[in-house]
Amino acid sequence: MSSDEVALIFTLEPLFTTIFSSWLLGEHLGIRGLIGAILVLVALLLSQSYQKIEPAKVDV
């Protein structure tokens, strides 16, 4: 596995935690919890996305 794939799997850890806590323990998130969880997941996915910035070519 590449490091990018591993980072994506670890990024989804909060999602898996929420699903299993809801399924196994019967816990539920309120609207604030859902909004917060979505914001965290979006931030994590954006931080792992490719942002290739090529350096400017300088003629000497």
Side-chain angles (χ1 to χ4, degrees), residues 3-54:
S3 61
D4 295 333
E5 292 171 343
V6 173
L8 183 60
I9 290 170
F10 283 130
T11 298
L12 295 175
E13 184 181 358
L15 177 66
F16 295 137
T17 303
T18 303
I19 290 170
F20 285 118
S21 69
S22 174
W23 179 51
L24 293 174
L25 302 175
E27 293 184 4
H28 298 286
L29 288 176
I31 189 69
R32 286 179 141 181
L34 288 173
I35 291 171
I38 290 170
L39 288 174
V40 167
L41 286 174
V42 168
L44 289 170
L45 289 173
L46 285 176
S47 71
Q48 296 299 323
S49 67
Y50 287 106
Q51 294 180 0
K52 292 185 178 180
I53 300 174
E54 303 206 9

